[in-house]
Amino acid sequence: MDKNKKTTGKVAGIIANLVIIDVDGPVAQNEICFIKHQETDLMAEVIKVLGNHAYVQVFESTRGLKIGTEAHFEGHMLEVTLGPGILSRNYDGLQNDLDKMEGIFLKRGDYTDPLDREKLWDFKPLAKAGDKVHAGDWLGEVDENTMPHKIMVPFKFEGAYTVKSVVPEGQYKVDDEIAVLTDSKGKDISVTMVQKWPVKVAIRAYKEKPRPFKPLETGVRVIDTLNPIAEGGTGFIPGPFGTGKTVLQHAISKQAEADVVVIAACGERANEVVEIFTEFPELDDPRTGRKLMERTTIIANTSNMPVAAREASVYTAMTIGEYYRSMGLRVLLMADSTSRWAQALREMSNRLEELPGQDAFPMDLSAIISNFYSRAGYVFLNNGATGSITFIGTVSPAGGNLKEPVTESTRKAARCFYGLSQARADSKRYPAIDPIDSYSKYLEYPEMQKYYEENVSENWLDGVITAKDILLRGKEAQEQINILGDDGVPIDFHERFWNSELIDFVILQQDAFDNIDCSTPMERQEYMLAKVLNVTKMKFDFKHFVDVQNFFKNIINVFKQMNYSEFQSDDFKKYEKELEKLLAEHVVEEVS
Amino acid sequence: MEKQAFQKVYAKITNITKATVQLKAQGVGYDEIAMVHGRLGQVVKIIGENVTLQVFSGTEGIPTNAEVIFLGHPPRLKVSDQLAGRFFNAYGEPIDGGPEVEGEIRDIGSPSVNPVRRKQPSQLIATGIAGIDLNNSLVTGQKIPFFADPDQPYNQVMANVALRAEADKIILGGMGLSNDDYLYFKNVFDNAGALDRIISFVNTTENPPVERLLVPDMALTAAEYFAVDHNEKVLVLLTDMTLFADALSIVSNRMDQIPSKDSMPGSLYSDLARIYEKAVQFPAGGSITIIAVTTLSGGDITHAIPDNTGYITEGQLFLRRDTDIGKVIVDPFRSLSRLKQLVIGKQTREDHPQVMNAAVRLYADAANAKTKMENGFDLTDYDERTMKFAKEYSDKLLAIDVNVDTEEMLNITWELFQKYFTKAEVGIKQEFMDKYWKKEE
Ligand SMILES: Nc1ncnc2c1ncn2[C@@H]1O[C@H](COP(=O)(O)OP(=O)(O)OP(=O)(O)O)[C@@H](O)[C@H]1O
Ligand SMILES: [Mg+2]
């Protein structure tokens, strides 16, 4: 898109944030332009071109805008600025630093620098003169909140380069030259710590993208034990309002074994973002002991912020994720909610009077969603190091109906399905992930199965399958009991039902607001699953179904006290003893 | 609205639909307002010289040679302390016979608060209603609607909440309010001696429905004035948001937009969020709390209006008639305050979260027992006890006529636990059992 003269134009039509511009030169699809409204520049993106009319979506309110207003086209697509200092920042959907904006209210056209240009970084060279390098290769590193932040050959560089020089170890600002590269034609190019990249294009500076092959620990039992997500995998959480999507995502972003967490608050509540701002700087990363905020970047385009920037926000988040993945880091990317992004697409598509698909969503919704999810993944970088983006999006189905287009399209794209059930949420069985309908395709991957055998235990997966089986059989038994009455079924129906309740209360249900119960390390999950499954294998001497109910309520109560106690602490062991006593009162045969 | 020198006057309308007029005009700003044949209109589309105006009160009787005067600014409101105690229509004009308000002119529908300039809501709002304070505690800066059938006494409950909430200002945004309800609010506030804390923007059923679209923005512009400029605790009551959304759909259908679910505009989520997200807690102490009403049709919460609302607000409160006790209660199952965990057990007694959850769980067991009974099955002793518990819990705590403090609510719940259950059945953390369970087992 190299042009000598910038294209300009004049506003010829305004329908909310869709503006038609009469242009005097070439424009590209998705090119960025600025509309000069009074003293402010309103940023906009080209979304359709008809003759010399460019249709642009404005990332701001168009209140007061008039016909004839001038616009300048920038010759590039929407880009993010990549460099050290992104972690622990709060950006809007277009990567403006929210903390740098003045005043209480957001002002139109207030575009702020995503990076700190004055800060000095401790730079260490990793490449040396004479090295052959390609886009994404590491030239050096700086220390970003104790994370090794790699300074890379800019992703836009095509082909092979030779390193001419790299600056020695020392303190530099992001805009200082840190290396000079020579291209194949012998031309020298200066490289700083900053580069730009268009958000809608995937960064492909890696050698290979294998299938995910190992689990990513989240500390959430119903995920890790029953339906694990893989490192570099994808998952989605659909659920009616209030069923716990956001609480679950926040829990995962606090606990998961990730180096970097990028949270895209996409068209949701501002108070939920404030919760992160407030809590993450106080909370410790369980693995490094550093504050959670130090590994987290927030992209906040809340529901009251401009709708067009909402669409951009998920791409901004993904691109930042790809940037850190290229450094060999494990990135966890969260988007809440991808339905709001789809709605932003719908609003614009309707204004453009495009032929609508189902529920008035754009026809290519499914393709757009799949394309986005495909940017996640585990990669081998050119230098053999590995990095990953694990992506989990929430979906807010209209009317709670999982047959609507966004849920259906996402189901095709994501490998894990964590469906939240209204009934479970209503009865406060949190997290309300439906144990029967939810799935992880990764459990079927032979590479994952092998990983469990080698790293957890030989029979771990058997236990998982047994637990799922018990849950299913418990549900069937419950249906029978409901139809035939407590007295109308044999006593072992009650046992079957209560075995599933045991797994439900002890393994599935987890109190996100309890300091201990909120996160369960894998070792503890193994221990508890074994303990619970052991009980389900025992034979008891119940005479009456009321005995079954009372007995199980008692042991569930003790199990729950164990969940609330520090693992293997005195309290924990005390409850474990109590449990053994209760079991001994009724057990007739132990099977192990 | 007097004529001024810079205003542009036109007299040739080219197209008229039920809600809009179109004419050729120059130099018009998007969102700007105009007087069309003496009625207020707002620019919704400009293509070249063709300007489309939405006329709030409808276009009946507007001739093609009607006078159109562009006012050069979006809808606005004059704000000052003189707003207090006054009643206005949807345009912000006094309807109480009092004088015009003098003050600073502000555009309504102002920009959003920068999220990093917000503070996490943290101050409990006590209402004395246990269905709210015990199970669904409200917090300043929260936004929460009542989901209610049209025949339920939501306006009464809301008025009670407003008066007990200790707000510095209460701003009522009435949309499609019946004249009786309007007078009800006026009376209750008057009798409570609270009129000087109240500001009302009211569109009644007698006014054109599309005018309602201005009411929330008017109310919230006034709210921001008191919360930002004076650091006051402001409570905004919006009733009935379903009628607001209906007005949105009238306009969008008349403008030939492609409707999405339930013939609502595709932008319904964003339109509602823009309003509800004005709820905020500022670090300087001011806050805007929004309590709204969304009436349901036939209790259907999957309809686009309550559905989108539920995805935006921080919980919802359901009212239900409990036939066992013959009173209206706050339904503990479907009601939820998302922000309660910020205050319960912190600004209230430590056992609050666990007591609340245990009581609701036992109440759910009672509902199951009731179903069993209705299906003709035998009840166990436990079933019988849960049902007795539920009835007393409903009467002493969930009913909307309850008015006690939170400490008392917790004590009542512990009494009920001990009256009907064993420790294991209640299943609360040991440390609280040790402290509050007085009965010998
Ligand atoms: N794991 C949990 N433990 C305890 N309470 C929970 C849990 N998950 C959810 N909740 C309760 O449910 C409420 C709603 O949860 P959340 O905000 O995550 O819902 P959501 O699915 O994101 O809803 P929406 O679609 O409206 O954003 C929370 O405020 C909390 O009260
Ligand atoms: Mg949510």
Side-chain angles (χ1 to χ4, degrees):
Chain A
M1 272 188 280
D2 251 342
K3 286 175 291 183
N4 298 330
K5 171 183 158 293
K6 275 190 177 178
T7 297
T8 60
K10 284 197 159 57
V11 171
I14 310 160
I15 312 155
N17 76 328
L18 174 68
V19 168
I20 304 165
I21 298 177
D22 212 344
V23 292
D24 67 0
V27 287
Q29 177 73 337
N30 295 114
E31 184 172 345
I32 291 298
C33 71
F34 286 96
I35 300 170
K36 198 143 198 70
H37 173 58
Q38 293 159 0
E39 292 310 303
T40 46
D41 280 328
L42 307 182
M43 193 174 176
E45 178 186 17
V46 177
I47 51 173
K48 176 166 122 176
V49 182
L50 276 186
N52 58 350
H53 277 160
Y55 289 66
V56 304
Q57 58 173 347
V58 186
F59 295 122
E60 307 273 1
S61 152
T62 52
R63 178 176 269 188
L65 188 62
K66 293 182 177 171
I67 298 295
T69 306
E70 265 188 45
H72 297 265
F73 289 76
E74 293 297 305
H76 62 77
M77 298 200 279
L78 179 63
E79 290 181 330
V80 285
T81 305
L82 303 169
I86 289 176
L87 292 182
S88 71
R89 250 172 238 267
N90 308 312
Y91 295 125
D92 74 2
L94 305 174
Q95 210 203 2
N96 294 297
D97 188 338
L98 289 166
D99 290 288
K100 284 190 189 142
M101 295 180 183
E102 272 172 36
I104 291 178
F105 294 95
L106 296 169
K107 279 188 286 291
R108 278 198 292 193
D110 191 359
Y111 303 117
T112 55
D113 195 331
L115 299 180
D116 184 344
R117 305 280 166 177
E118 295 308 315
K119 186 179 159 84
L120 285 169
W121 296 90
D122 288 317
F123 176 84
K124 273 205 291 286
L126 292 174
K128 56 183 187 314
D131 286 356
K132 284 261 175 294
V133 291
H134 292 85
D137 286 352
W138 302 346
L139 297 172
E141 71 179 34
V142 300
D143 178 78
E144 184 183 18
N145 303 350
T146 70
M147 202 84 72
H149 183 118
K150 303 292 190 277
I151 307 301
M152 294 171 272
V153 177
F155 302 124
K156 281 184 181 169
F157 283 25
E158 287 169 24
Y161 294 79
T162 311
V163 176
K164 185 171 178 192
S165 63
V166 181
V167 294
E169 188 165 342
Q171 293 201 316
Y172 301 89
K173 293 180 186 168
V174 288
D175 292 314
D176 291 341
E177 177 177 280
I178 60 104
V180 177
L181 306 182
T182 312
D183 72 8
S184 54
K185 296 196 190 82
K187 194 170 141 225
D188 286 351
I189 304 161
S190 165
V191 175
T192 68
M193 296 190 209
V194 185
Q195 57 169 317
K196 293 196 171 211
W197 185 259
V199 296
K200 291 202 175 148
V201 180
I203 296 173
R204 291 224 167 74
Y206 50 80
K207 194 163 60 198
E208 197 194 337
K209 201 173 190 178
R211 298 210 316 172
F213 57 90
K214 60 177 176 189
L216 180 91
E217 197 177 314
T218 66
V220 179
R221 294 189 290 264
V222 55
I223 294 180
D224 294 348
T225 296
L226 286 187
N227 291 306
I229 187 153
E231 185 190 336
T234 52
F236 78 118
I237 309 171
F241 64 77
T243 47
K245 298 180 290 295
T246 306
V247 170
L248 182 59
Q249 270 207 338
H250 285 194
I252 297 171
S253 38
K254 284 177 197 166
Q255 299 154 197
E257 50 169 343
D259 302 313
V260 169
V261 178
V262 184
I263 301 178
C266 170
E268 290 288 307
R269 302 170 185 82
N271 277 343
E272 292 172 348
V273 186
V274 177
E275 191 178 317
I276 306 177
F277 294 159
T278 316
E279 289 181 0
F280 278 33
E282 304 296 324
L283 295 173
D284 294 330
D285 176 346
R287 285 170 190 83
T288 61
R290 314 266 317 174
K291 295 295 174 219
L292 278 181
M293 202 61 210
E294 295 182 24
R295 67 168 195 181
T296 310
T297 295
I298 298 165
I299 314 293
N301 188 266
T302 57
S303 59
N304 53 343
M305 289 162 80
V307 175
R310 199 193 286 170
E311 191 224 336
S313 69
V314 292
Y315 289 99
T316 298
M318 181 59 91
T319 310
I320 290 175
E322 287 172 332
Y323 176 59
Y324 280 97
R325 175 172 68 185
S326 306
M327 298 176 201
L329 297 173
R330 289 171 303 183
V331 179
L332 176 68
L333 181 66
M334 297 286 189
D336 185 14
S337 148
T338 59
S339 293
R340 305 301 163 220
W341 157 44
Q343 284 178 340
L345 295 173
R346 172 167 75 183
E347 279 184 36
M348 200 36 76
S349 155
N350 294 356
R351 265 178 217 132
L352 284 172
E353 296 177 0
E354 288 174 355
L355 197 60
Q358 199 191 340
D359 288 358
F361 280 106
M363 293 285 227
D364 54 351
L365 179 70
S366 207
I368 294 172
I369 292 177
S370 292
N371 179 279
F372 186 79
Y373 273 79
S374 73
R375 288 174 70 171
Y378 193 95
V379 298
F380 290 109
L381 302 173
N382 293 332
N383 64 2
T386 63
S388 62
I389 297 175
T390 309
F391 175 60
I392 302 179
T394 64
V395 170
S396 317
N401 167 20
L402 297 188
K403 293 269 173 286
E404 59 86 49
V406 185
T407 318
E408 293 268 86
S409 305
T410 310
R411 198 191 280 274
K412 288 179 214 154
R415 309 298 287 167
C416 293
F417 171 82
Y418 302 116
L420 301 189
S421 128
Q422 185 75 59
R424 286 185 70 85
D426 286 346
S427 53
K428 317 275 182 226
R429 295 183 178 220
Y430 293 122
I433 297 178
D434 187 315
I436 312 277
D437 294 345
S438 300
Y439 57 74
S440 162
K441 294 271 189 217
Y442 298 116
L443 272 182
E444 297 159 18
Y445 284 26
E447 11 337 22
M448 280 280 273
Q449 296 173 351
K450 188 159 152 262
Y451 182 90
Y452 280 114
E453 267 164 38
E454 290 171 359
N455 295 280
V456 183
S457 82
E458 286 273 311
N459 46 18
W460 168 255
L461 280 176
D462 295 336
V464 172
I465 290 163
T466 310
K468 288 188 173 206
D469 211 42
I470 292 171
L471 287 165
L472 190 60
R473 281 157 44 94
K475 191 179 174 199
E476 289 161 4
Q478 186 187 24
E479 281 160 9
Q480 290 298 310
I481 297 171
N482 285 345
I483 297 169
L484 301 169
D486 286 331
D487 286 323
V489 296
I491 212 164
D492 59 301
F493 274 60
H494 288 276
E495 284 192 54
R496 223 180 283 164
F497 167 62
W498 279 99
N499 275 328
S500 73
E501 288 286 273
L502 178 67
I503 293 179
D504 193 334
F505 276 93
V506 181
I507 307 288
L508 306 188
Q509 292 177 44
Q510 193 171 357
D511 188 343
F513 303 119
D514 182 86
N515 285 338
I516 293 170
D517 197 31
C518 64
S519 179
T520 312
M522 208 52 208
E523 185 199 356
R524 183 170 179 163
Q525 294 192 34
E526 262 184 88
Y527 188 86
M528 292 307 280
L529 182 68
K531 201 142 203 77
V532 164
L533 287 179
N534 201 31
V535 174
T536 65
K537 286 181 200 142
M538 294 178 182
K539 296 246 178 311
F540 300 101
D541 62 350
F542 302 125
K543 302 272 179 305
H544 194 267
F545 71 83
V546 177
D547 298 341
V548 184
Q549 292 175 354
N550 289 340
F551 171 76
F552 275 97
K553 275 184 198 164
N554 281 331
I555 62 166
I556 284 171
N557 186 30
V558 181
F559 263 118
K560 272 175 69 176
Q561 307 292 346
M562 285 172 77
N563 278 347
Y564 283 128
S565 313
E566 203 83 59
F567 189 44
Q568 301 298 15
S569 64
D570 290 348
D571 271 351
F572 184 88
K573 289 182 179 144
K574 183 186 89 193
Y575 292 120
E576 202 165 19
K577 282 234 163 59
E578 204 176 307
L579 176 70
E580 274 153 25
K581 213 174 99 219
L582 285 173
L583 291 170
E585 282 170 17
H586 283 281
V587 75
V588 289
E589 185 187 330
E590 267 194 70
V591 189
S592 56
Chain B
M1 287 177 195
E2 70 286 7
K3 271 196 218 175
Q4 286 167 21
F6 58 82
Q7 291 167 344
K8 298 177 217 68
V9 185
Y10 296 86
K12 192 164 183 301
I13 293 174
T14 49
N15 295 322
I16 306 178
T17 69
K18 273 188 183 168
T20 63
V21 298
Q22 203 187 85
L23 69 154
K24 288 205 186 313
Q26 288 93 35
V28 174
Y30 193 76
D31 255 5
E32 177 172 327
I33 55 172
M35 296 308 291
V36 182
H37 200 54
R39 303 176 200 176
L40 196 69
Q42 185 169 17
V43 175
V44 289
K45 183 173 177 176
I46 311 176
I47 300 289
E49 290 198 318
N50 293 311
V51 177
T52 308
L53 286 152
Q54 166 189 324
V55 182
F56 288 101
S57 54
T59 55
E60 290 89 344
I62 293 183
T64 50
N65 64 352
E67 192 179 56
V68 179
I69 308 164
F70 287 93
L71 300 181
H73 59 78
R76 52 200 201 182
L77 178 72
K78 277 192 188 154
V79 293
S80 73
D81 293 349
Q82 295 176 18
L83 287 168
R86 303 293 307 275
F87 287 79
F88 304 93
N89 66 11
Y91 305 118
E93 300 162 346
I95 51 168
D96 52 7
E100 286 281 338
V101 168
E102 291 308 319
E104 188 192 325
I105 295 171
R106 298 224 174 136
D107 293 350
I108 68 165
S110 62
S112 312
V113 172
N114 183 341
V116 301
R117 299 284 175 261
R118 285 172 177 255
K119 186 170 170 267
Q120 189 170 35
S122 59
Q123 216 177 339
L124 178 82
I125 301 179
T127 70
I129 301 171
I132 296 176
D133 296 2
L134 182 63
N135 292 336
N136 301 290
S137 320
L138 303 182
V139 185
T140 55
Q142 184 167 14
K143 47 196 176 287
I144 193 164
F146 281 98
F147 279 178
D149 287 330
D151 60 346
Q152 277 163 340
Y154 49 82
N155 281 338
Q156 284 81 330
V157 180
M158 203 157 79
N160 262 336
V161 169
L163 288 175
R164 292 185 199 162
E166 293 178 352
D168 297 322
K169 290 286 178 303
I170 299 167
I171 303 187
L172 172 68
M175 289 154 282
L177 212 55
S178 74
N179 204 47
D180 294 1
D181 278 349
Y182 165 53
L183 294 175
Y184 169 80
F185 274 112
K186 215 170 165 177
N187 272 333
V188 180
F189 293 152
D190 207 359
N191 291 343
L195 264 189
D196 57 331
R197 291 195 285 139
I198 315 268
I199 301 143
S200 304
F201 295 88
V202 181
N203 154 278
T204 66
T205 40
E206 288 160 21
N207 306 126
V210 178
E211 285 181 10
R212 281 170 210 158
L213 295 179
L214 292 169
V215 169
D217 282 338
M218 286 286 171
L220 290 160
T221 302
E224 278 178 348
Y225 167 71
F226 289 106
V228 177
D229 298 32
H230 292 280
N231 297 329
E232 291 192 346
K233 272 169 77 175
V234 183
L235 181 64
V236 177
L237 311 176
L238 298 174
T239 172
D240 166 356
M241 286 299 284
T242 297
L243 297 178
F244 170 84
D246 285 342
L248 281 177
S249 80
I250 294 174
V251 173
S252 79
N253 291 348
R254 282 175 186 170
M255 289 182 55
D256 294 327
Q257 285 167 7
I258 310 160
S260 63
K261 197 165 168 280
D262 299 317
S263 46
M264 283 292 145
S267 58
L268 181 64
Y269 176 84
S270 303
D271 295 336
L272 293 175
R274 203 175 50 74
I275 293 168
Y276 284 114
E277 280 293 331
K278 288 276 177 191
V280 57
Q281 173 73 55
F282 292 110
S287 64
I288 299 175
T289 308
I290 301 181
I291 301 183
V293 169
T294 301
T295 49
L296 308 176
S297 74
D300 178 14
I301 61 155
T302 63
H303 184 282
I305 300 172
D307 186 49
N308 279 286
T309 304
Y311 277 119
I312 293 163
T313 53
E314 286 146 345
Q316 60 282 328
L317 299 166
F318 275 91
L319 297 180
R320 172 165 71 81
R321 175 159 287 282
D322 184 342
T323 46
D324 289 342
I325 60 163
K327 286 184 186 172
V328 175
I329 62 165
V330 180
D331 188 330
F333 296 148
R334 303 158 78 200
S335 303
L336 173 72
S337 162
R338 310 269 185 107
L339 301 189
K340 67 181 174 213
Q341 50 260 19
L342 296 173
V343 292
I344 60 173
K346 295 174 188 151
Q347 286 174 38
T348 62
R349 213 168 68 189
E350 51 180 0
D351 55 328
H352 187 164
Q354 294 239 334
V355 170
M356 165 189 82
N357 285 332
V360 174
R361 187 166 35 78
L362 294 165
Y363 192 76
D365 285 350
N368 290 339
K370 206 169 167 203
T371 318
K372 260 165 86 176
M373 187 178 74
E374 282 160 2
N375 293 341
F377 294 125
D378 292 344
L379 296 184
T380 63
D381 165 57
Y382 177 76
D383 292 335
E384 306 269 7
R385 286 185 284 124
T386 55
M387 285 175 64
K388 284 197 204 117
F389 161 80
K391 197 166 165 193
E392 211 174 326
Y393 175 66
S394 194
D395 189 43
K396 287 199 170 146
L397 290 165
L398 298 181
I400 56 169
D401 60 2
V402 171
N403 186 7
V404 292
D405 69 22
T406 321
E407 178 104 13
E408 184 60 21
M409 295 171 193
L410 291 167
N411 292 340
I412 295 175
T413 319
W414 278 107
E415 275 166 33
L416 296 180
F417 285 164
Q418 295 171 75
K419 186 165 169 190
Y420 295 107
F421 302 109
T422 64
K423 280 186 180 177
E425 284 166 340
V426 173
I428 286 179
K429 248 187 183 167
Q430 197 61 45
E431 57 171 299
F432 299 136
M433 283 289 185
D434 294 344
K435 199 156 171 189
Y436 299 104
W437 189 275
K438 303 279 184 277
K439 190 177 71 168
E440 294 292 320
E441 272 202 8

